Structure formats: C-alpha cells, structure tokens
C-alpha cells in the first residue's frame, strides 16, 4: 500500500495525536497520507484524493466511527482498517499499542480483506420514497412520539409474515449481530455470512423470537394502525444515524445492498476468538 487516508474521531483521538503519529511514520516510509476529522464533510476525500490513489483507509476511534465511514464511502470499495480507541471493538481490530506493527504489515502487503454484507433501505412516507440509505450493522425502527408500543406489519418477498406489537424492530446484517440485535436477544452470526436477521425490541408477547432470512429475501415493515384506530409514529435509523420519521401507513423496504464493506484483517484471529475475548471483557 502506498496511499492512506485517515478518518479520526476527535473525541477519542484528542488533538489528532495518534493520527499525526501514524501520518509521520507512514511519510517516513515513503507513503502518502491525508488526515480527515470525522466531523468534516466526506467531500474532502473526493477533492483531495481520487479513488484510484487511495489504497487504504485507517479509521481511528471505535466501531461507531468505522460504521459511519463505511456508510459514507460505501461506493468507493476502498478497504478499511479500524484502530480501536474505544471500549469494545468488533470491527476495529487493532488496539492502539499495536498500531506500529499493523502499519508495518500493511506496508508489506501482509493482510487479507474480508467483504461484509451491507443493507439497503428505502423509506416511503405517504407513498413517496423520501430516503434511501445503506447500513453495515442494522436498520432499526423505533417508536416515536407517545411512549407506547407500535404495531409493525412484516412482509417478506411480498408475503405477509406477522404483526409485532413492540417498541421497535431491528433488521441486522451478520456484522450487526453483535450490536443492538444482540442486546435485544438476537443470535450471534459469523460476520462473513450473507443473511438478514429480524429481531423485535421488547415485544409484547411471550413467543416472539428473532427470525433469520436468506440474503436474497426482501423485507417490508409497515407501521400499523394505533390503538382505537389512531395514528402511531416511528423513526427509522441506519446504523444509528439518518433518522427518518414515519407514521401509520408508511413503510420501509430492506434488502441486501449491492455494496459491501471491505475490512482489512491484519491478525489471523478467528471470529470465535475475537468473540470470546470481547464477551469476557463486557
């Protein structure tokens, strides 16, 4: 690799301390490096470095920082390496104390690349598409407005499946199975798999469980009528971002995205080993 782009979460990397250390080292090795604060517009990447020039993106912060970068640059197909400066890092593989050795292996091309499935979601309000976005972890519908449960009508490939009376619904990728979905009782799935998981959030029934679908399935979630034929409100988010307000009759269509996130793997550590280490620390 010759050209690197650093995206830094300045809440974690104060004054860009580690970013500048990394840039200085890469420059000393004859590499090109550009630093971008996470809060800067993504157009900085387009203006400073062309797609052909960027070999790898280093993301400093935590999983949340990498998730946002993956969504912003989904169409670029540039591989990411996450450097964890947070608490738990399933996506951010490298710890701060191991940065130098990781950079040496990148320069020597001693790494592999994993492709992670992403979701594509289209939000329809009053019958019109108002938002289309992608997510690496999950697309989540949550109740909004009055603090009461909402009826979510679920259709799979155009066929009605069930109505869930719940606080919300999570549709996650295998990568997202260790995130919000896990907290809501969903299964843990190997991140390189291709499938969709649907998990109700605090369902008002004793027999609601997560459901696993093929990666080729298409899911539609419609906001049902409120109690006494009233109007319910919900909010849909993509990886915890881009909140779009919805109401009774509106829906979101979710499917596997044509885009993937490419993750650079430095350590030949299995997913099970990473999972065991993270669970023992949580």
């Amino acid at each position: 690799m010759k050209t690197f782009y650093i995206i830094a979460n300045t809440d974690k990397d104060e004054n860009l301390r580690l970013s500048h250390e990394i840039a200085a080292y890469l420059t000393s090795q004859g590499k090109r490096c550009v630093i971008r604060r996470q809060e800067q517009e993504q157009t900085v990447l387009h203006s400073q470095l062309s797609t052909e020039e960027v070999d790898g993106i280093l993301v400093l912060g935590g999983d949340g920082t990498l998730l946002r970068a993956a969504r912003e640059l989904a169409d670029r197909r540039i591989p990411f390496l996450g450097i964890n400066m947070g608490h738990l890092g399933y996506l951010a593989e490298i710890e701060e104390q191991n940065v130098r050795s990781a950079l040496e292996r990148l320069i020597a091309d001693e790494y592999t690349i994993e492709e992670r499935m992403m979701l594509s979601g289209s939000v329809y309000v009053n019958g019109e598409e108002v938002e289309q976005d992608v997510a690496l972890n999950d697309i989540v519908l949550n109740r909004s407005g009055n603090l009461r449960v909402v009826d979510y009508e679920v259709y799979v490939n155009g066929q009605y499946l069930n109505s869930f009376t719940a606080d919300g619904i999570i549709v996650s990728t295998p990568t997202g199975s260790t995130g919000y979905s896990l907290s809501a009782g969903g299964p843990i799935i190997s991140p390189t798999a291709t499938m969709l998981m649907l998990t109700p959030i605090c369902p008002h029934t004793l027999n609601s469980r997560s459901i696993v679908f093929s990666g080729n399935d298409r899911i539609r979630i419609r906001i049902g009528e409120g109690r006494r034929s009233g109007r319910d409100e919900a909010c849909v988010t993509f990886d915890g971002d881009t909140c779009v307000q919805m109401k009774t009759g509106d829906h979101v269509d979710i499917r596997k995205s044509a885009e993937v996130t490419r993750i650079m793997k430095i350590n030949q550590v299995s997913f099970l080993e990473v999972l065991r280490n993270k669970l023992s620390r949580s």
Side-chain angles (χ1 to χ4, degrees), residues 16-26 35 96 100 103:
L16 299 177
R17 173 190 57 81
L18 184 58
S19 296
H20 288 304
E21 290 179 10
I22 292 173
Y25 173 75
L26 291 174
I35 299 174
E96 182 176 352
R100 176 63 68 89
L103 295 177

Side-chain angles (χ1 to χ4, degrees), residues 71 119-123 129 131-135 139 238 241-242:
R71 289 178 57 238
L119 296 175
S120 176
S122 299
V123 184
E129 184 178 23
E131 184 71 39
Q132 198 283 327
D133 208 340
V134 295
I139 297 175
F238 297 76
D241 201 359
T242 315

